[in-house]
Amino acid sequence: MALALREAQKGVGLSSPNPPVGCLIVKSGEVIGWGVHTRAGDPHGEIVALMDVEARAEDARGATAYVTLEPCCHHGRTPPCTDALIQAGVSRVVVGVRDPNPRVDGGGLAILRAAGIEVVEGILLQACTRFHAPFFKLMQTGLPWVSLKLSLGSDGALGPEGETTQVSPPSIQALAHALRRVSDAILVGRGTVSQDDPQLTDRWPKASPAHRRFYRVVLDGKGRLGPDLRVWHPFPGQPALRVLAGEAPLLRGVEDLQVPPAQGGEGCSLRHLLHELSSRGVGRVLVEGGPKLAQAFLKAALVDEIHLFRSVQPAGGGQVNLHEISKWKLISHTPWADGSQTGSWDILAP
């Protein structure tokens, strides 16, 4: 199952809004097939693994399938994976976690058992549940998974207002770009764009498949940002979205997304915005930017995890109030060092 989870990671950022399910086919102690779901509408992980078995001239009859998520049992864009596993003649299916989709939710396991296949569930349950948590949230609430990235100095500050401050060294900044690769959208506020004039593109060194769409989302409630900023420049597969809470002059080549104003009339309704993004197939959103946007998401209880990059050096400027996350759990702690610069990368969850 650990290998199936590792295989599943290859589909993160590619399969949305579907879950990146990983599957292994094992026979006589040897892996004879690997599979992962990487694109909505394409074969699921189980089918890809069975196709791999066939390509290797192996036989799945009597084999065990290890799947990170319960196999589907309904007709959608693709046929049921339960049918494929039964027809392939596997004798045992090991599942990490049940699928909360009402069209599945134990039904896949029941169909497999009715066909005489041994079913074992709950293997590496906690790890599989956490891995598929973004899909579970989307299925249960209609909202995408929200990751908040913060780069702070030892003083809890992002840097002086109006200045671009590099809190972490280039090597760590490059590593942080992995967060963009596993997301379907990046979201920033007007202040970040006007101050830094960023592209907000996915610049991970390895090219991503042509079908991947990465939305560059800018909150500009009153349409104050000018047309010459780099974020508005066309970039293949990475469309820019301007989020407005009122009328504003059109920007050439930029799609506008109208959402209601936030409660109190300041800014945009973040919850409404997330629903709009999910309707576009966005399952994971990375929030970057300044303290105001971070505090707004935290105050609205819309953040699912925080990636906190903290340097041992002070950054200066206004501090980010982290009171909202004082009781959050530390999921992982990774120290980093680059020459004389040191710090840590912490992942926290509610």
Side-chain angles (χ1 to χ4, degrees), residues 1 7 27 45 59 100-101 119 125 137 159 173 203 208 246 274 292 299 318 329 334:
M1 188 60 73
E7 183 73 4
K27 189 173 184 178
D59 188 350
N101 184 339
V119 174
L125 174 62
K137 180 189 178 185
Q173 294 170 28
R203 299 194 297 274
S208 63
L274 292 178
K292 289 184 179 179
K299 186 177 180 180
K329 298 177 183 177
T334 306

Side-chain angles (χ1 to χ4, degrees), residues 51-69:
M51 291 169 62
D52 190 38
V53 170
E54 185 177 353
R56 295 166 182 258
E58 298 282 358
D59 188 350
R61 286 177 295 181
T64 296
Y66 291 85
V67 192
T68 59
L69 183 68

Side-chain angles (χ1 to χ4, degrees), residues 47-298:
I47 308 301
V48 176
L50 290 172
M51 291 169 62
D52 190 38
V53 170
E54 185 177 353
R56 295 166 182 258
E58 298 282 358
D59 188 350
R61 286 177 295 181
T64 296
Y66 291 85
V67 192
T68 59
L69 183 68
E70 177 183 5
C72 67
C73 55
H74 62 282
H75 284 270
R77 295 189 189 180
T78 58
C81 290
T82 49
D83 288 0
L85 291 168
I86 293 169
Q87 292 169 9
V90 300
S91 60
R92 185 168 174 256
V93 175
V94 180
V95 174
V97 62
R98 287 196 181 197
D99 187 342
N101 184 339
R103 301 178 70 184
V104 185
D105 197 13
L109 304 182
I111 289 173
L112 293 173
R113 288 189 173 111
I117 295 175
E118 179 188 354
V119 174
V120 180
E121 60 176 307
I123 303 303
L124 292 188
L125 174 62
Q126 186 174 359
C128 290
T129 300
R130 173 157 179 79
F131 178 79
H132 288 299
F135 170 68
F136 292 172
K137 180 189 178 185
L138 188 65
M139 182 61 57
Q140 294 166 345
T141 70
L143 295 171
W145 184 263
V146 176
S147 299
L148 173 62
K149 174 180 171 286
L150 290 173
S151 295
L152 305 178
S154 58
D155 52 0
L158 290 165
E161 188 174 355
E163 297 181 17
T164 300
T165 304
Q166 301 295 346
V167 175
S168 55
S171 60
I172 302 304
Q173 294 170 28
L175 182 61
H177 272 282
L179 297 176
R180 296 188 183 185
R181 173 51 57 93
V182 300
S183 303
D184 304 308
I186 183 172
L187 194 156
V188 302
R190 180 175 62 86
T192 295
V193 173
S194 60
Q195 176 178 304
D196 299 335
D197 191 19
Q199 288 181 296
L200 299 180
T201 52
D202 169 15
R203 299 194 297 274
W204 190 246
K206 186 178 179 181
S208 63
H211 77 268
R212 168 170 161 78
R213 291 181 68 80
F214 181 69
Y215 289 96
R216 298 175 290 152
V217 186
V218 179
L219 291 175
D220 187 21
K222 297 182 180 180
R224 294 175 178 172
L225 292 172
D228 299 325
L229 295 164
R230 295 199 300 165
V231 70
W232 307 135
H233 294 179
F235 203 92
Q238 302 186 39
L241 287 177
R242 182 176 63 162
V243 183
L244 300 171
E247 297 299 323
L250 296 176
L251 292 179
R252 187 175 182 179
V254 177
E255 181 183 353
D256 286 339
L257 187 58
Q258 291 281 351
V259 300
Q263 193 171 12
E266 183 65 26
C268 305
S269 169
L270 299 179
R271 184 175 293 274
H272 191 102
L273 169 59
L274 292 178
H275 277 293
E276 289 290 339
L277 291 176
S278 70
S279 71
R280 285 167 164 75
V282 171
R284 297 171 184 250
V285 176
L286 174 64
V287 177
E288 291 190 13
K292 289 184 179 179
L293 185 61
Q295 298 292 171
F297 267 92
L298 289 171

